[in-house]
PDB file of all heavy atoms in Angstrom:
ATOM      1  N   GLN A1140     -16.919  12.897  19.494  1.00  0.00           N
ATOM      2  CA  GLN A1140     -16.312  12.314  18.337  1.00  0.00           C
ATOM      3  C   GLN A1140     -17.314  11.494  17.481  1.00  0.00           C
ATOM      4  O   GLN A1140     -17.375  11.457  16.252  1.00  0.00           O
ATOM      5  CB  GLN A1140     -15.128  11.454  18.827  1.00  0.00           C
ATOM      6  CG  GLN A1140     -13.932  12.268  19.162  1.00  0.00           C
ATOM      7  CD  GLN A1140     -12.902  11.396  19.770  1.00  0.00           C
ATOM      8  OE1 GLN A1140     -12.995  10.245  19.941  1.00  0.00           O
ATOM      9  NE2 GLN A1140     -11.691  11.976  20.019  1.00  0.00           N
ATOM     10  N   ARG A1141     -18.129  10.730  18.229  1.00  0.00           N
ATOM     11  CA  ARG A1141     -19.183   9.851  17.576  1.00  0.00           C
ATOM     12  C   ARG A1141     -20.161  10.718  16.852  1.00  0.00           C
ATOM     13  O   ARG A1141     -20.528  10.410  15.731  1.00  0.00           O
ATOM     14  CB  ARG A1141     -19.928   8.955  18.486  1.00  0.00           C
ATOM     15  CG  ARG A1141     -19.021   7.819  19.091  1.00  0.00           C
ATOM     16  CD  ARG A1141     -19.795   6.933  20.111  1.00  0.00           C
ATOM     17  NE  ARG A1141     -18.981   5.969  20.643  1.00  0.00           N
ATOM     18  CZ  ARG A1141     -19.246   5.250  21.626  1.00  0.00           C
ATOM     19  NH1 ARG A1141     -20.429   5.543  22.274  1.00  0.00           N
ATOM     20  NH2 ARG A1141     -18.396   4.275  22.146  1.00  0.00           N
ATOM     21  N   SER A1142     -20.526  11.742  17.448  1.00  0.00           N
ATOM     22  CA  SER A1142     -21.621  12.688  16.870  1.00  0.00           C
ATOM     23  C   SER A1142     -20.908  13.359  15.571  1.00  0.00           C
ATOM     24  O   SER A1142     -21.542  13.418  14.538  1.00  0.00           O
ATOM     25  CB  SER A1142     -21.885  13.773  17.817  1.00  0.00           C
ATOM     26  OG  SER A1142     -22.821  14.731  17.230  1.00  0.00           O
ATOM     27  N   ASN A1143     -19.672  13.780  15.657  1.00  0.00           N
ATOM     28  CA  ASN A1143     -18.976  14.331  14.440  1.00  0.00           C
ATOM     29  C   ASN A1143     -18.877  13.347  13.367  1.00  0.00           C
ATOM     30  O   ASN A1143     -19.013  13.627  12.257  1.00  0.00           O
ATOM     31  CB  ASN A1143     -17.572  15.003  14.918  1.00  0.00           C
ATOM     32  CG  ASN A1143     -17.751  16.279  15.763  1.00  0.00           C
ATOM     33  OD1 ASN A1143     -18.854  16.802  15.791  1.00  0.00           O
ATOM     34  ND2 ASN A1143     -16.727  16.537  16.511  1.00  0.00           N
ATOM     35  N   TRP A1144     -18.527  12.132  13.773  1.00  0.00           N
ATOM     36  CA  TRP A1144     -18.331  11.138  12.738  1.00  0.00           C
ATOM     37  C   TRP A1144     -19.678  10.806  11.991  1.00  0.00           C
ATOM     38  O   TRP A1144     -19.670  10.652  10.891  1.00  0.00           O
ATOM     39  CB  TRP A1144     -17.819   9.808  13.462  1.00  0.00           C
ATOM     40  CG  TRP A1144     -17.583   8.634  12.497  1.00  0.00           C
ATOM     41  CD1 TRP A1144     -16.537   8.457  11.692  1.00  0.00           C
ATOM     42  CD2 TRP A1144     -18.559   7.646  12.207  1.00  0.00           C
ATOM     43  NE1 TRP A1144     -16.749   7.362  10.898  1.00  0.00           N
ATOM     44  CE2 TRP A1144     -17.919   6.798  11.245  1.00  0.00           C
ATOM     45  CE3 TRP A1144     -19.760   7.268  12.715  1.00  0.00           C
ATOM     46  CZ2 TRP A1144     -18.478   5.639  10.665  1.00  0.00           C
ATOM     47  CZ3 TRP A1144     -20.314   6.135  12.127  1.00  0.00           C
ATOM     48  CH2 TRP A1144     -19.772   5.302  11.218  1.00  0.00           C
ATOM     49  N   GLY A1145     -20.700  10.665  12.861  1.00  0.00           N
ATOM     50  CA  GLY A1145     -22.044  10.517  12.214  1.00  0.00           C
ATOM     51  C   GLY A1145     -22.506  11.610  11.340  1.00  0.00           C
ATOM     52  O   GLY A1145     -23.044  11.346  10.232  1.00  0.00           O
ATOM     53  N   THR A1146     -22.284  12.804  11.770  1.00  0.00           N
ATOM     54  CA  THR A1146     -22.609  14.035  10.873  1.00  0.00           C
ATOM     55  C   THR A1146     -21.765  14.010   9.649  1.00  0.00           C
ATOM     56  O   THR A1146     -22.276  14.253   8.619  1.00  0.00           O
ATOM     57  CB  THR A1146     -22.233  15.250  11.709  1.00  0.00           C
ATOM     58  OG1 THR A1146     -23.046  15.220  12.956  1.00  0.00           O
ATOM     59  CG2 THR A1146     -22.699  16.463  10.940  1.00  0.00           C
ATOM     60  N   GLY A1147     -20.409  13.703   9.728  1.00  0.00           N
ATOM     61  CA  GLY A1147     -19.638  13.629   8.607  1.00  0.00           C
ATOM     62  C   GLY A1147     -20.021  12.548   7.646  1.00  0.00           C
ATOM     63  O   GLY A1147     -19.972  12.737   6.393  1.00  0.00           O
ATOM     64  N   LEU A1148     -20.344  11.457   8.172  1.00  0.00           N
ATOM     65  CA  LEU A1148     -20.859  10.272   7.279  1.00  0.00           C
ATOM     66  C   LEU A1148     -22.075  10.612   6.546  1.00  0.00           C
ATOM     67  O   LEU A1148     -22.157  10.431   5.391  1.00  0.00           O
ATOM     68  CB  LEU A1148     -21.065   9.097   8.271  1.00  0.00           C
ATOM     69  CG  LEU A1148     -21.477   7.759   7.411  1.00  0.00           C
ATOM     70  CD1 LEU A1148     -20.370   7.239   6.489  1.00  0.00           C
ATOM     71  CD2 LEU A1148     -21.845   6.657   8.460  1.00  0.00           C
ATOM     72  N   LYS A1149     -23.031  11.246   7.250  1.00  0.00           N
ATOM     73  CA  LYS A1149     -24.363  11.671   6.625  1.00  0.00           C
ATOM     74  C   LYS A1149     -23.977  12.796   5.501  1.00  0.00           C
ATOM     75  O   LYS A1149     -24.619  12.690   4.449  1.00  0.00           O
ATOM     76  CB  LYS A1149     -25.209  12.301   7.571  1.00  0.00           C
ATOM     77  CG  LYS A1149     -26.642  12.639   7.055  1.00  0.00           C
ATOM     78  CD  LYS A1149     -27.563  13.130   8.171  1.00  0.00           C
ATOM     79  CE  LYS A1149     -28.862  13.443   7.608  1.00  0.00           C
ATOM     80  NZ  LYS A1149     -29.841  13.890   8.512  1.00  0.00           N
ATOM     81  N   ALA A1150     -23.078  13.629   5.770  1.00  0.00           N
ATOM     82  CA  ALA A1150     -22.684  14.658   4.745  1.00  0.00           C
ATOM     83  C   ALA A1150     -22.055  13.925   3.481  1.00  0.00           C
ATOM     84  O   ALA A1150     -22.352  14.413   2.374  1.00  0.00           O
ATOM     85  CB  ALA A1150     -21.754  15.692   5.379  1.00  0.00           C
ATOM     86  N   GLU A1151     -21.219  12.990   3.751  1.00  0.00           N
ATOM     87  CA  GLU A1151     -20.601  12.280   2.603  1.00  0.00           C
ATOM     88  C   GLU A1151     -21.670  11.550   1.768  1.00  0.00           C
ATOM     89  O   GLU A1151     -21.572  11.540   0.579  1.00  0.00           O
ATOM     90  CB  GLU A1151     -19.591  11.333   3.081  1.00  0.00           C
ATOM     91  CG  GLU A1151     -18.299  12.057   3.565  1.00  0.00           C
ATOM     92  CD  GLU A1151     -17.675  12.938   2.639  1.00  0.00           C
ATOM     93  OE1 GLU A1151     -17.557  12.555   1.368  1.00  0.00           O
ATOM     94  OE2 GLU A1151     -17.215  14.051   2.947  1.00  0.00           O
ATOM     95  N   PHE A1152     -22.629  10.873   2.510  1.00  0.00           N
ATOM     96  CA  PHE A1152     -23.646  10.134   1.813  1.00  0.00           C
ATOM     97  C   PHE A1152     -24.518  11.112   0.991  1.00  0.00           C
ATOM     98  O   PHE A1152     -25.054  10.675  -0.135  1.00  0.00           O
ATOM     99  CB  PHE A1152     -24.619   9.309   2.709  1.00  0.00           C
ATOM    100  CG  PHE A1152     -24.093   7.889   2.841  1.00  0.00           C
ATOM    101  CD1 PHE A1152     -23.292   7.498   3.994  1.00  0.00           C
ATOM    102  CD2 PHE A1152     -24.521   6.964   1.971  1.00  0.00           C
ATOM    103  CE1 PHE A1152     -22.894   6.212   4.052  1.00  0.00           C
ATOM    104  CE2 PHE A1152     -24.026   5.660   2.108  1.00  0.00           C
ATOM    105  CZ  PHE A1152     -23.333   5.186   3.150  1.00  0.00           C
ATOM    106  N   ASN A1153     -24.736  12.321   1.461  1.00  0.00           N
ATOM    107  CA  ASN A1153     -25.549  13.261   0.614  1.00  0.00           C
ATOM    108  C   ASN A1153     -24.790  13.768  -0.623  1.00  0.00           C
ATOM    109  O   ASN A1153     -25.440  14.274  -1.522  1.00  0.00           O
ATOM    110  CB  ASN A1153     -25.804  14.576   1.527  1.00  0.00           C
ATOM    111  CG  ASN A1153     -26.917  14.135   2.563  1.00  0.00           C
ATOM    112  OD1 ASN A1153     -27.705  13.276   2.422  1.00  0.00           O
ATOM    113  ND2 ASN A1153     -26.857  14.913   3.726  1.00  0.00           N
ATOM    114  N   LYS A1154     -23.469  13.525  -0.689  1.00  0.00           N
ATOM    115  CA  LYS A1154     -22.727  13.980  -1.850  1.00  0.00           C
ATOM    116  C   LYS A1154     -22.790  12.864  -2.959  1.00  0.00           C
ATOM    117  O   LYS A1154     -22.422  13.176  -4.063  1.00  0.00           O
ATOM    118  CB  LYS A1154     -21.239  14.128  -1.412  1.00  0.00           C
ATOM    119  CG  LYS A1154     -20.961  15.353  -0.640  1.00  0.00           C
ATOM    120  CD  LYS A1154     -19.554  15.426  -0.289  1.00  0.00           C
ATOM    121  CE  LYS A1154     -19.197  16.530   0.728  1.00  0.00           C
ATOM    122  NZ  LYS A1154     -17.789  16.626   0.993  1.00  0.00           N
ATOM    123  N   ILE A1155     -23.216  11.612  -2.686  1.00  0.00           N
ATOM    124  CA  ILE A1155     -23.323  10.583  -3.660  1.00  0.00           C
ATOM    125  C   ILE A1155     -24.332  10.918  -4.648  1.00  0.00           C
ATOM    126  O   ILE A1155     -25.385  11.229  -4.379  1.00  0.00           O
ATOM    127  CB  ILE A1155     -23.562   9.318  -2.934  1.00  0.00           C
ATOM    128  CG1 ILE A1155     -22.480   8.905  -2.011  1.00  0.00           C
ATOM    129  CG2 ILE A1155     -23.799   8.168  -3.936  1.00  0.00           C
ATOM    130  CD1 ILE A1155     -22.678   7.735  -1.116  1.00  0.00           C
ATOM    131  N   ILE A1156     -23.879  10.702  -5.975  1.00  0.00           N
ATOM    132  CA  ILE A1156     -24.894  10.888  -7.088  1.00  0.00           C
ATOM    133  C   ILE A1156     -25.171   9.387  -7.526  1.00  0.00           C
ATOM    134  O   ILE A1156     -24.253   8.725  -8.187  1.00  0.00           O
ATOM    135  CB  ILE A1156     -24.270  11.634  -8.224  1.00  0.00           C
ATOM    136  CG1 ILE A1156     -23.926  13.054  -7.698  1.00  0.00           C
ATOM    137  CG2 ILE A1156     -25.168  11.726  -9.405  1.00  0.00           C
ATOM    138  CD1 ILE A1156     -23.178  13.885  -8.722  1.00  0.00           C
ATOM    139  N   TRP A1157     -26.314   8.863  -7.262  1.00  0.00           N
ATOM    140  CA  TRP A1157     -26.732   7.555  -7.536  1.00  0.00           C
ATOM    141  C   TRP A1157     -27.072   7.398  -9.025  1.00  0.00           C
ATOM    142  O   TRP A1157     -27.793   8.242  -9.468  1.00  0.00           O
ATOM    143  CB  TRP A1157     -27.840   7.086  -6.625  1.00  0.00           C
ATOM    144  CG  TRP A1157     -27.425   6.944  -5.200  1.00  0.00           C
ATOM    145  CD1 TRP A1157     -27.827   8.003  -4.230  1.00  0.00           C
ATOM    146  CD2 TRP A1157     -26.616   6.091  -4.497  1.00  0.00           C
ATOM    147  NE1 TRP A1157     -27.209   7.698  -3.088  1.00  0.00           N
ATOM    148  CE2 TRP A1157     -26.595   6.568  -3.224  1.00  0.00           C
ATOM    149  CE3 TRP A1157     -25.985   4.954  -4.934  1.00  0.00           C
ATOM    150  CZ2 TRP A1157     -25.891   5.741  -2.184  1.00  0.00           C
ATOM    151  CZ3 TRP A1157     -25.314   4.153  -4.025  1.00  0.00           C
ATOM    152  CH2 TRP A1157     -25.182   4.668  -2.600  1.00  0.00           C
ATOM    153  N   PRO A1158     -26.675   6.375  -9.746  1.00  0.00           N
ATOM    154  CA  PRO A1158     -27.089   6.266 -11.173  1.00  0.00           C
ATOM    155  C   PRO A1158     -28.566   5.979 -11.323  1.00  0.00           C
ATOM    156  O   PRO A1158     -29.186   5.430 -10.360  1.00  0.00           O
ATOM    157  CB  PRO A1158     -26.249   5.099 -11.564  1.00  0.00           C
ATOM    158  CG  PRO A1158     -25.958   4.358 -10.392  1.00  0.00           C
ATOM    159  CD  PRO A1158     -25.906   5.285  -9.332  1.00  0.00           C
ATOM    160  N   LEU A1159     -29.092   6.343 -12.422  1.00  0.00           N
ATOM    161  CA  LEU A1159     -30.526   6.039 -12.728  1.00  0.00           C
ATOM    162  C   LEU A1159     -30.585   4.500 -13.138  1.00  0.00           C
ATOM    163  O   LEU A1159     -29.549   3.824 -13.502  1.00  0.00           O
ATOM    164  CB  LEU A1159     -30.892   6.857 -13.999  1.00  0.00           C
ATOM    165  CG  LEU A1159     -30.955   8.314 -13.746  1.00  0.00           C
ATOM    166  CD1 LEU A1159     -31.336   9.052 -15.092  1.00  0.00           C
ATOM    167  CD2 LEU A1159     -31.872   8.689 -12.730  1.00  0.00           C
ATOM    168  N   LYS A1160     -31.803   3.923 -13.030  1.00  0.00           N
ATOM    169  CA  LYS A1160     -31.956   2.459 -13.270  1.00  0.00           C
ATOM    170  C   LYS A1160     -31.539   2.191 -14.721  1.00  0.00           C
ATOM    171  O   LYS A1160     -30.884   1.145 -14.952  1.00  0.00           O
ATOM    172  CB  LYS A1160     -33.330   2.100 -13.036  1.00  0.00           C
ATOM    173  CG  LYS A1160     -33.763   2.023 -11.537  1.00  0.00           C
ATOM    174  CD  LYS A1160     -35.182   1.574 -11.370  1.00  0.00           C
ATOM    175  CE  LYS A1160     -35.610   1.445 -10.003  1.00  0.00           C
ATOM    176  NZ  LYS A1160     -36.879   0.920  -9.741  1.00  0.00           N
ATOM    177  N   GLU A1161     -31.835   3.041 -15.638  1.00  0.00           N
ATOM    178  CA  GLU A1161     -31.512   2.674 -17.066  1.00  0.00           C
ATOM    179  C   GLU A1161     -29.983   2.700 -17.262  1.00  0.00           C
ATOM    180  O   GLU A1161     -29.441   1.809 -17.932  1.00  0.00           O
ATOM    181  CB  GLU A1161     -32.129   3.739 -17.937  1.00  0.00           C
ATOM    182  CG  GLU A1161     -33.681   3.794 -18.025  1.00  0.00           C
ATOM    183  CD  GLU A1161     -34.287   4.490 -16.809  1.00  0.00           C
ATOM    184  OE1 GLU A1161     -33.509   5.363 -16.161  1.00  0.00           O
ATOM    185  OE2 GLU A1161     -35.420   4.380 -16.531  1.00  0.00           O
ATOM    186  N   GLN A1162     -29.275   3.769 -16.662  1.00  0.00           N
ATOM    187  CA  GLN A1162     -27.929   3.759 -16.729  1.00  0.00           C
ATOM    188  C   GLN A1162     -27.254   2.516 -16.150  1.00  0.00           C
ATOM    189  O   GLN A1162     -26.279   1.893 -16.646  1.00  0.00           O
ATOM    190  CB  GLN A1162     -27.273   5.003 -16.181  1.00  0.00           C
ATOM    191  CG  GLN A1162     -25.843   5.230 -16.215  1.00  0.00           C
ATOM    192  CD  GLN A1162     -25.315   6.416 -15.533  1.00  0.00           C
ATOM    193  OE1 GLN A1162     -26.143   7.107 -14.816  1.00  0.00           O
ATOM    194  NE2 GLN A1162     -24.035   6.710 -15.515  1.00  0.00           N
ATOM    195  N   LEU A1163     -27.696   2.193 -14.974  1.00  0.00           N
ATOM    196  CA  LEU A1163     -27.178   0.968 -14.189  1.00  0.00           C
ATOM    197  C   LEU A1163     -27.443  -0.188 -14.920  1.00  0.00           C
ATOM    198  O   LEU A1163     -26.514  -1.144 -15.023  1.00  0.00           O
ATOM    199  CB  LEU A1163     -27.961   0.845 -12.859  1.00  0.00           C
ATOM    200  CG  LEU A1163     -27.363  -0.123 -11.912  1.00  0.00           C
ATOM    201  CD1 LEU A1163     -25.936   0.036 -11.544  1.00  0.00           C
ATOM    202  CD2 LEU A1163     -28.188  -0.230 -10.604  1.00  0.00           C
ATOM    203  N   ALA A1164     -28.538  -0.325 -15.715  1.00  0.00           N
ATOM    204  CA  ALA A1164     -28.857  -1.623 -16.483  1.00  0.00           C
ATOM    205  C   ALA A1164     -27.948  -1.683 -17.682  1.00  0.00           C
ATOM    206  O   ALA A1164     -27.428  -2.788 -18.032  1.00  0.00           O
ATOM    207  CB  ALA A1164     -30.312  -1.591 -16.905  1.00  0.00           C
ATOM    208  N   LYS A1165     -27.681  -0.568 -18.361  1.00  0.00           N
ATOM    209  CA  LYS A1165     -26.790  -0.482 -19.447  1.00  0.00           C
ATOM    210  C   LYS A1165     -25.416  -0.893 -19.140  1.00  0.00           C
ATOM    211  O   LYS A1165     -24.674  -1.649 -19.726  1.00  0.00           O
ATOM    212  CB  LYS A1165     -26.748   0.824 -20.180  1.00  0.00           C
ATOM    213  CG  LYS A1165     -28.034   1.198 -20.932  1.00  0.00           C
ATOM    214  CD  LYS A1165     -27.953   2.632 -21.571  1.00  0.00           C
ATOM    215  CE  LYS A1165     -29.264   3.018 -22.265  1.00  0.00           C
ATOM    216  NZ  LYS A1165     -29.189   4.273 -22.832  1.00  0.00           N
ATOM    217  N   GLU A1166     -24.880  -0.253 -18.019  1.00  0.00           N
ATOM    218  CA  GLU A1166     -23.535  -0.588 -17.521  1.00  0.00           C
ATOM    219  C   GLU A1166     -23.437  -2.031 -17.030  1.00  0.00           C
ATOM    220  O   GLU A1166     -22.334  -2.651 -17.365  1.00  0.00           O
ATOM    221  CB  GLU A1166     -23.104   0.476 -16.470  1.00  0.00           C
ATOM    222  CG  GLU A1166     -22.977   1.836 -16.918  1.00  0.00           C
ATOM    223  CD  GLU A1166     -22.778   2.815 -15.865  1.00  0.00           C
ATOM    224  OE1 GLU A1166     -22.580   2.357 -14.604  1.00  0.00           O
ATOM    225  OE2 GLU A1166     -22.631   4.014 -16.104  1.00  0.00           O
ATOM    226  N   THR A1167     -24.347  -2.582 -16.431  1.00  0.00           N
ATOM    227  CA  THR A1167     -24.371  -3.993 -16.018  1.00  0.00           C
ATOM    228  C   THR A1167     -24.338  -4.917 -17.183  1.00  0.00           C
ATOM    229  O   THR A1167     -23.584  -5.890 -17.293  1.00  0.00           O
ATOM    230  CB  THR A1167     -25.597  -4.331 -15.163  1.00  0.00           C
ATOM    231  OG1 THR A1167     -25.513  -3.423 -13.952  1.00  0.00           O
ATOM    232  CG2 THR A1167     -25.600  -5.757 -14.689  1.00  0.00           C
ATOM    233  N   GLY A1168     -25.176  -4.523 -18.243  1.00  0.00           N
ATOM    234  CA  GLY A1168     -25.110  -5.351 -19.491  1.00  0.00           C
ATOM    235  C   GLY A1168     -23.783  -5.255 -20.210  1.00  0.00           C
ATOM    236  O   GLY A1168     -23.337  -6.269 -20.701  1.00  0.00           O
ATOM    237  N   ALA A1169     -23.182  -4.143 -20.130  1.00  0.00           N
ATOM    238  CA  ALA A1169     -21.805  -4.023 -20.764  1.00  0.00           C
ATOM    239  C   ALA A1169     -20.810  -4.924 -20.052  1.00  0.00           C
ATOM    240  O   ALA A1169     -19.921  -5.565 -20.676  1.00  0.00           O
ATOM    241  CB  ALA A1169     -21.404  -2.520 -20.813  1.00  0.00           C
ATOM    242  N   VAL A1170     -20.865  -4.846 -18.718  1.00  0.00           N
ATOM    243  CA  VAL A1170     -19.926  -5.686 -17.920  1.00  0.00           C
ATOM    244  C   VAL A1170     -20.165  -7.150 -18.212  1.00  0.00           C
ATOM    245  O   VAL A1170     -19.171  -7.963 -18.403  1.00  0.00           O
ATOM    246  CB  VAL A1170     -20.028  -5.354 -16.492  1.00  0.00           C
ATOM    247  CG1 VAL A1170     -19.263  -6.277 -15.663  1.00  0.00           C
ATOM    248  CG2 VAL A1170     -19.514  -3.947 -16.164  1.00  0.00           C
ATOM    249  N   VAL A1171     -21.392  -7.673 -18.222  1.00  0.00           N
ATOM    250  CA  VAL A1171     -21.800  -9.013 -18.472  1.00  0.00           C
ATOM    251  C   VAL A1171     -21.296  -9.398 -19.819  1.00  0.00           C
ATOM    252  O   VAL A1171     -20.703 -10.458 -19.973  1.00  0.00           O
ATOM    253  CB  VAL A1171     -23.241  -9.277 -18.252  1.00  0.00           C
ATOM    254  CG1 VAL A1171     -23.619 -10.571 -18.681  1.00  0.00           C
ATOM    255  CG2 VAL A1171     -23.567  -9.086 -16.770  1.00  0.00           C
ATOM    256  N   ALA A1172     -21.577  -8.575 -20.870  1.00  0.00           N
ATOM    257  CA  ALA A1172     -21.187  -8.934 -22.255  1.00  0.00           C
ATOM    258  C   ALA A1172     -19.681  -8.999 -22.312  1.00  0.00           C
ATOM    259  O   ALA A1172     -19.160 -10.009 -22.931  1.00  0.00           O
ATOM    260  CB  ALA A1172     -21.717  -7.921 -23.227  1.00  0.00           C
ATOM    261  N   ALA A1173     -18.964  -8.081 -21.702  1.00  0.00           N
ATOM    262  CA  ALA A1173     -17.512  -8.107 -21.842  1.00  0.00           C
ATOM    263  C   ALA A1173     -16.932  -9.328 -21.200  1.00  0.00           C
ATOM    264  O   ALA A1173     -15.874 -10.012 -21.594  1.00  0.00           O
ATOM    265  CB  ALA A1173     -16.897  -6.910 -21.137  1.00  0.00           C
ATOM    266  N   SER A1174     -17.550  -9.757 -20.035  1.00  0.00           N
ATOM    267  CA  SER A1174     -17.142 -10.859 -19.253  1.00  0.00           C
ATOM    268  C   SER A1174     -17.394 -12.206 -20.107  1.00  0.00           C
ATOM    269  O   SER A1174     -16.398 -13.084 -20.177  1.00  0.00           O
ATOM    270  CB  SER A1174     -17.802 -11.082 -17.927  1.00  0.00           C
ATOM    271  OG  SER A1174     -17.542  -9.933 -17.154  1.00  0.00           O
ATOM    272  N   VAL A1175     -18.513 -12.253 -20.767  1.00  0.00           N
ATOM    273  CA  VAL A1175     -18.761 -13.460 -21.629  1.00  0.00           C
ATOM    274  C   VAL A1175     -17.781 -13.595 -22.749  1.00  0.00           C
ATOM    275  O   VAL A1175     -17.338 -14.583 -23.075  1.00  0.00           O
ATOM    276  CB  VAL A1175     -20.266 -13.393 -22.140  1.00  0.00           C
ATOM    277  CG1 VAL A1175     -20.455 -14.502 -23.216  1.00  0.00           C
ATOM    278  CG2 VAL A1175     -21.188 -13.596 -20.867  1.00  0.00           C
ATOM    279  N   VAL A1176     -17.574 -12.340 -23.472  1.00  0.00           N
ATOM    280  CA  VAL A1176     -16.646 -12.344 -24.569  1.00  0.00           C
ATOM    281  C   VAL A1176     -15.115 -12.719 -24.129  1.00  0.00           C
ATOM    282  O   VAL A1176     -14.579 -13.566 -24.809  1.00  0.00           O
ATOM    283  CB  VAL A1176     -16.719 -11.019 -25.228  1.00  0.00           C
ATOM    284  CG1 VAL A1176     -15.558 -10.800 -26.292  1.00  0.00           C
ATOM    285  CG2 VAL A1176     -17.980 -10.685 -25.987  1.00  0.00           C
ATOM    286  N   LEU A1177     -14.840 -12.231 -23.039  1.00  0.00           N
ATOM    287  CA  LEU A1177     -13.423 -12.561 -22.589  1.00  0.00           C
ATOM    288  C   LEU A1177     -13.391 -14.030 -22.115  1.00  0.00           C
ATOM    289  O   LEU A1177     -12.434 -14.719 -22.391  1.00  0.00           O
ATOM    290  CB  LEU A1177     -13.107 -11.656 -21.351  1.00  0.00           C
ATOM    291  CG  LEU A1177     -11.680 -11.751 -20.792  1.00  0.00           C
ATOM    292  CD1 LEU A1177     -10.730 -11.403 -21.849  1.00  0.00           C
ATOM    293  CD2 LEU A1177     -11.493 -10.821 -19.632  1.00  0.00           C
ATOM    294  N   GLY A1178     -14.522 -14.471 -21.562  1.00  0.00           N
ATOM    295  CA  GLY A1178     -14.475 -15.955 -21.152  1.00  0.00           C
ATOM    296  C   GLY A1178     -14.378 -16.827 -22.407  1.00  0.00           C
ATOM    297  O   GLY A1178     -13.700 -17.848 -22.371  1.00  0.00           O
ATOM    298  N   VAL A1179     -15.100 -16.460 -23.481  1.00  0.00           N
ATOM    299  CA  VAL A1179     -15.023 -17.208 -24.672  1.00  0.00           C
ATOM    300  C   VAL A1179     -13.655 -17.226 -25.343  1.00  0.00           C
ATOM    301  O   VAL A1179     -13.127 -18.236 -25.767  1.00  0.00           O
ATOM    302  CB  VAL A1179     -16.116 -16.826 -25.799  1.00  0.00           C
ATOM    303  CG1 VAL A1179     -15.970 -17.368 -27.093  1.00  0.00           C
ATOM    304  CG2 VAL A1179     -17.495 -17.089 -25.168  1.00  0.00           C
ATOM    305  N   ILE A1180     -13.045 -15.985 -25.338  1.00  0.00           N
ATOM    306  CA  ILE A1180     -11.669 -15.853 -25.840  1.00  0.00           C
ATOM    307  C   ILE A1180     -10.726 -16.654 -25.117  1.00  0.00           C
ATOM    308  O   ILE A1180      -9.914 -17.510 -25.628  1.00  0.00           O
ATOM    309  CB  ILE A1180     -11.246 -14.495 -25.835  1.00  0.00           C
ATOM    310  CG1 ILE A1180     -12.162 -13.676 -26.942  1.00  0.00           C
ATOM    311  CG2 ILE A1180      -9.736 -14.298 -26.089  1.00  0.00           C
ATOM    312  CD1 ILE A1180     -11.840 -12.148 -26.824  1.00  0.00           C
ATOM    313  N   ILE A1181     -10.767 -16.699 -23.780  1.00  0.00           N
ATOM    314  CA  ILE A1181      -9.815 -17.505 -22.914  1.00  0.00           C
ATOM    315  C   ILE A1181     -10.081 -19.038 -23.213  1.00  0.00           C
ATOM    316  O   ILE A1181      -9.163 -19.756 -23.209  1.00  0.00           O
ATOM    317  CB  ILE A1181     -10.113 -17.096 -21.449  1.00  0.00           C
ATOM    318  CG1 ILE A1181      -9.484 -15.749 -21.132  1.00  0.00           C
ATOM    319  CG2 ILE A1181      -9.319 -18.104 -20.598  1.00  0.00           C
ATOM    320  CD1 ILE A1181      -9.768 -15.193 -19.807  1.00  0.00           C
TER     321      ILE A1181
END
């Protein structure tokens, strides 16, 4: 069971599509900007 669990976990991690650094930076900037704007409105 442990072996099957480890194999399954590795298979799931191989399915992950990690974002590029540029995409991650843009999305992080958008979240920060939206948070600041919402904070100012509140």
